[in-house]
Amino acid sequence: MDDMLLPPDPDTRLNGRGATQNTANRFEKTRTERCHDGWEDAAEQRPLRTQLSIDRSRSIIARNTSPDVPFDRSVNPYRGCEHGCTYCFARPSHAQLGYSPGLDFETRLVVKPNAAELLERALRKPGYEVKPIAIGTNTDPYQPIERDHRIMRQVLEVLWAFRHPVQITTKGALITRDLDILGRMSRSGLVSVTISLTTLDNRLSRQLEPRAAAPGRRIATIRALADHCVPVGVNLAPVIPGLTDHEIERLLGAANSAGASHAGCILLRLPLEVAPLFKAWLEKYHPDRAKRIMRKVRETHGGADYNPNWGRRLRGEGPHAQMIARRFDLCAQRLGFDLGRPRLRCDLFERPPRSGDQMQLGL
């Protein structure tokens, strides 16, 4: 067993979860491990429940200077993600909270109930410079718990009140709940949406991303957004060499038929704890192909499980990565996709008056 992997609690069922293990937290000096003594009855195992805690952060806008992403600021209403995508590159960030990037990432979630309040406070600062805010770049704002907490909805209401541009990435069909406000923002050139697609195979999707919307629902979500004139695109993310790369043309074709206007492509990346988690997943679901798939993954990252260097981490390197990129580019060009997000307006930004503010006198 990989030294980074801890077996799950033998008293729990892992149905509907993406990770098969709880990786050891890389910041912890000690670890505890439960073992199965053979007495438990599998029929009496309890399901692994989602637990929520509250984030009391005093700021909400995260900044980045990465040269290979098209935004310099983002907002994340949640930490951790119940979608449970096995391949999620954001899993290692959970270690910073003292949790495991494995099962903890998808079952021990952190909610930011004051996200909208913090965002409004940030936008009212006199020196604030307007540029599009990206949401969904780390964890999904439309994961299942958003249905009850509505934090993303509140954030959108603040952005609309300030006429602030936003770029949204999600694989959650729940975004259609907010078509009313997204429609208003789109008519002012303030929003673009990207739906992430990995596969059209329902069985594979349930294994890879167990609590995300099924592929057909994501295609329907693209169609619903396009029907409401919301600029919507597709991101093939991640493309997994030897597992999903044969679907590139089918994925783009389905998204194009549904009304997607822009497209992107990101190669599988396995930073830190994600690599052993993904290998364990392969051994469980695709043991006959596991070694071949990992060999192809390493071919696209210079012989390693992952290459974190800017310019290479998203599209990889080597002949196989070049072939994937070439196939994507040719198909996207043939279908008429834009290879970048729509430009959003930043000139409409204004701070709405608050109750009690003194009105300016016209001269």
Side-chain angles (χ1 to χ4, degrees), residues 154-184:
Q154 297 166 22
V155 166
L156 284 178
E157 289 169 347
V158 170
L159 292 171
W160 171 239
F162 282 76
R163 303 301 189 265
H164 194 292
V166 62
Q167 302 171 336
I168 303 170
T169 300
T170 183
K171 53 173 65 77
L174 183 57
I175 191 174
T176 57
R177 177 201 64 190
D178 295 334
L179 280 171
D180 57 338
I181 190 168
L182 293 172
R184 293 196 295 271

Side-chain angles (χ1 to χ4, degrees), residues 8-243:
D9 183 340
D11 296 330
T12 59
R13 296 196 307 269
L14 300 184
N15 296 13
R17 300 300 179 180
T20 61
Q21 309 282 347
N22 240 5
T23 55
N25 187 314
R26 64 186 181 276
F27 299 115
E28 298 293 336
K29 295 181 180 180
T30 61
R31 76 183 196 188
T32 59
E33 179 177 330
R34 294 191 61 171
C35 62
H36 201 304
D37 61 8
W39 285 96
E40 292 87 353
D41 184 352
E44 297 178 357
Q45 288 180 328
R46 60 182 181 273
L48 186 58
R49 302 293 187 186
T50 299
Q51 303 175 54
L52 304 181
S53 58
I54 303 300
D55 184 316
R56 297 298 185 186
S57 298
R58 290 183 291 179
S59 63
I60 194 65
I61 299 179
R63 307 279 179 164
N64 81 83
T65 57
S66 173
D68 55 2
V69 294
F71 58 88
D72 70 349
R73 65 200 68 184
S74 60
V75 166
N76 291 290
Y78 305 101
R79 301 188 72 171
C81 186
E82 199 175 10
H83 281 158
C85 301
T86 310
Y87 50 73
C88 184
F89 68 88
R91 285 181 177 273
S93 64
H94 230 46
Q96 299 167 1
L97 302 177
Y99 297 145
S100 166
L103 289 166
D104 283 355
F105 177 78
E106 53 197 278
T107 61
R108 303 184 68 174
L109 310 182
V110 180
V111 180
K112 302 179 182 180
N114 61 339
E117 176 187 345
L118 292 173
L119 179 60
E120 178 172 356
R121 190 183 307 168
L123 299 185
R124 287 194 181 277
K125 291 182 178 179
Y128 180 77
E129 178 186 2
V130 182
K131 287 185 180 179
I133 287 176
I135 305 182
T137 58
N138 195 48
T139 56
D140 201 310
Y142 286 105
Q143 57 180 287
I145 56 173
E146 166 64 15
R147 190 177 306 278
D148 294 326
H149 290 271
R150 301 176 65 87
I151 298 173
M152 180 59 180
R153 173 74 186 196
Q154 297 166 22
V155 166
L156 284 178
E157 289 169 347
V158 170
L159 292 171
W160 171 239
F162 282 76
R163 303 301 189 265
H164 194 292
V166 62
Q167 302 171 336
I168 303 170
T169 300
T170 183
K171 53 173 65 77
L174 183 57
I175 191 174
T176 57
R177 177 201 64 190
D178 295 334
L179 280 171
D180 57 338
I181 190 168
L182 293 172
R184 293 196 295 271
M185 296 184 79
S186 70
R187 288 190 288 273
S188 296
L190 293 172
V191 66
S192 72
V193 176
T194 298
I195 302 298
S196 295
L197 272 178
T198 311
T199 178
L200 293 177
D201 183 325
N202 285 323
R203 183 166 180 261
L204 179 58
S205 180
R206 284 194 301 271
Q207 296 169 349
L208 268 175
E209 39 203 20
R211 298 200 176 196
R217 290 192 67 198
R218 284 183 240 179
I219 296 298
T221 299
I222 292 174
R223 183 173 290 109
L225 289 162
D227 287 348
H228 282 75
C229 299
V230 178
V232 58
V234 63
N235 197 14
L236 309 191
V239 174
I240 304 175
L243 187 62

Side-chain angles (χ1 to χ4, degrees), residues 261-274:
S261 59
H262 60 274
C265 176
I266 297 177
L267 201 64
L268 175 70
R269 43 182 173 149
L270 302 174
L272 299 171
E273 295 92 346
V274 185

